[in-house]
Amino acid sequence: MSKNPIGPGTPDPLDFLNIDDELSVDERLLRDTVRQFVGDRILPNVAEWFEEGSIPKELGKEMGALGMLGMHLDGYGCAGMSAVDYGLACLELEAGDSGTRSFVSVQGSLAMFPIWAYGSEEQKQQWLPGMAAGDLLGCFGLTEPDSGSDPGSMRTNARKDGDDWVLNGAKMWITNGSIADVAVVWAQTDEGIRGFVVPTDTSGFSTQDIHHKLSLRASVTSELILEDVRLPADAVLPGVAGLKGPLSCLSEARYGILWGAVGAARACYEAALDYSTSREQFGGPIGGYQLTQRKLVEMMVAVNRGLLVALHIGRKKDAGTLTASQISFGKFDNVRMALEVAREARGILGANGITLEYPVIRHMNNLESVITYEGTNEIHTLILGQAITGINAFS
Amino acid sequence: MKIVVCVKQIPDPASPYQLDPESYFVVRPNDQVLDDTDRYGVEVALQLSDELGEDASVTLLSMSPGGSQQGIRQALAMGADGAILIEDETLRGADALTTSQILAAAATRAEADLLIAGTESTDGYTGVVPQQVAEIMGVPALTFARKVEHVDGKLRIERQTQAGYDVVEGALPAVLSVTSGVVEPRYPTFKGIMQAKSKPVETLTAADLGVTAKVSQKIVSVEEVEGRQAGDIIEDDGEGYLRIIEKLEEVKVV
């Protein structure tokens, strides 16, 4: 018999396993701060942004003032928080909307991170403080119209012309592309794939927004077009060559996503729980019927499990013992889980579930992007498959 | 100017409160959160401090027998410079007067020029502490402020009343209580959260302040509040508005 008795009482339906107990006072404070920001600034407006297909650019400054942009990086105006802190912020942001979390992921993990990790001191000084403050926005150009899961096949290239570099090509599905002040663009060179820091006002650089999206509508998605974009020699990121450069950025961003997805799932579960205990049919709340209870329980378990996975991976990242394939575990399972929860919640809300009055269909549609970007579910499956069999299914 | 802000740490209002079956005191978890109404006092203090520059400091003052620091950490992360925590088991269940004696003694010891508080706490709702503290300290009490200005070394406030507001002026040192409409409290920034860890928190007991806690108030019983009665339904036959006006006159709002 265990020394400690099993106590009475009913756990909090919104934190069934009391995972809150695993967080420090500061982690809870940070989480509560972001939750409050999302409650004040995102939730009252996001349905409208989604309907309009826009996100206000000034949101970047508000997030920068709080310290959210590049928060997990040290120095250069960044807040220097832990991986778990960053994860908690992503979770709360995505409980608002995947678009807002994407905004922060792209700025911090995809645009600031490569400059911070591989940039020269001059590049860091030039860009990072303004990006941390949200005065300057960044984007990340890796994916191309014909090169998605296989980034090594990219056609965008940079050739030397005297001391200068000249870039040509196109990048597709670029979050914040047309509102960015700086783009980190990956291109083929004679030395393999290199990263370039491209001010977006450079001659030959242009963007075209992607319209008619039915997902991530509260987010700007663009195509970047590079036509003889001439850059000085010091525009290249000196610290990295080869695919490992962009892939390391993706690992950072995927890490944030595996937390963020839990936020989207939690928002859907909470909406479904609230709805099913107040919506009455056949003389009682629909949450009293067995079919609905089954769905709610599956969601609750999934959300708690996803959060435990995220927290475990986060603690490993802070301890310096995390591998890229463990990030794939989280991205693979948590986004899949969130999408299932969102679809189930959509069903519980019935007809109301298809309107922007409730958050579920917005999350459901957003998660169709989240399960595709930053490594599709299929790619993460194959990363995991390779990790456990030792056999690479890509080649 | 030395500004001291009273901040109360309370059980998270999002979770249901439990009463101890014998003492009827609220059961307090280890980690209590900042009373939301105190964020306004902190913000007023920070704004005054920003206005006055380097000559001003903001110190938090909290009485918390269990030693919770979570709520204090939040207010420190907003930008306060340090905190004084009165942690003393003999103060558990302290009534409003005992609390006021402790806070007055601590504010005097800290040489406060201005002591700021909310109008009442969200868990206790006695609403008398700021006035009592002012009386014990022998300084003016500027209460229910919906607007605060620091003019020529004096404090000028708009005091919220039922009919409107009074303009009240008082010399420093003083006690100020602020309503939750007074300012928009800032978010703690992430850097603020990091810095809060290393800000000084001085822990004192009642004895350090020369106060003997003598809790003279006892809760003898707790009764359930009567459920609300259903409201009157006025059928509008074209003159329903007249009935509404009558009702409003009855409750003296028009």
Side-chain angles (χ1 to χ4, degrees), chain B residues 11-225:
Chain B
D12 191 338
S15 318
Y17 278 31
Q18 289 178 331
L19 295 181
D20 182 278
E22 282 174 22
S23 68
Y24 298 121
F25 294 151
V26 172
V27 176
R28 295 182 181 274
N30 289 335
D31 287 318
Q32 301 191 86
V33 300
L34 181 67
D35 189 336
D36 198 61
T37 61
D38 287 331
R39 293 193 301 136
Y40 300 90
V42 174
E43 181 63 38
V44 167
L46 293 173
Q47 288 186 11
L48 280 173
S49 169
D50 289 345
E51 195 183 308
L52 293 164
E54 285 182 4
D55 295 336
S57 68
V58 176
T59 305
L60 308 169
L61 172 58
S62 189
M63 191 175 101
S64 180
S68 167
Q69 293 208 13
Q70 182 175 342
I72 288 183
R73 202 60 87 68
Q74 182 182 342
L76 286 173
M78 286 171 73
D81 300 299
I84 301 164
L85 180 65
I86 319 294
E87 188 186 340
D88 192 327
E89 276 306 312
T90 65
L91 294 172
R92 199 170 279 278
D95 53 32
L97 183 58
T98 309
T99 304
S100 299
Q101 285 167 335
I102 291 283
L103 296 177
T108 305
R109 182 179 181 275
E111 298 173 349
D113 298 301
L114 176 61
L115 182 72
I116 304 180
T119 54
E120 60 184 354
S121 64
T122 307
D123 60 345
Y125 284 116
T126 64
V128 294
V129 168
Q131 297 83 324
Q132 287 182 340
V133 172
E135 181 65 23
I136 295 165
M137 291 176 76
V139 301
L142 293 95
T143 53
F144 296 96
R146 55 166 230 177
K147 188 178 174 196
V148 179
E149 284 176 298
H150 182 248
V151 189
D152 301 330
K154 281 191 282 192
L155 223 50
R156 180 185 297 162
I157 68 157
E158 289 180 8
R159 178 166 63 198
Q160 184 71 53
T161 66
Q162 282 197 326
Y165 65 89
D166 302 329
V167 177
V168 181
E169 257 185 21
L172 296 173
V175 172
L176 168 70
S177 78
V178 297
T179 66
S180 41
V182 65
V183 282
E184 188 57 44
R186 68 193 67 188
Y187 299 107
T189 66
F190 292 2
K191 281 182 193 164
I193 292 171
M194 297 285 273
Q195 287 161 355
K197 290 180 201 179
S198 51
K199 286 182 176 172
V201 178
E202 186 184 15
T203 307
L204 300 173
T205 61
D208 292 333
L209 296 167
V211 178
T212 310
K214 199 176 61 195
V215 179
S216 51
Q217 175 184 299
K218 194 174 173 220
I219 304 169
V220 287
S221 73
V222 172
E223 305 293 332
E224 291 269 334
V225 178

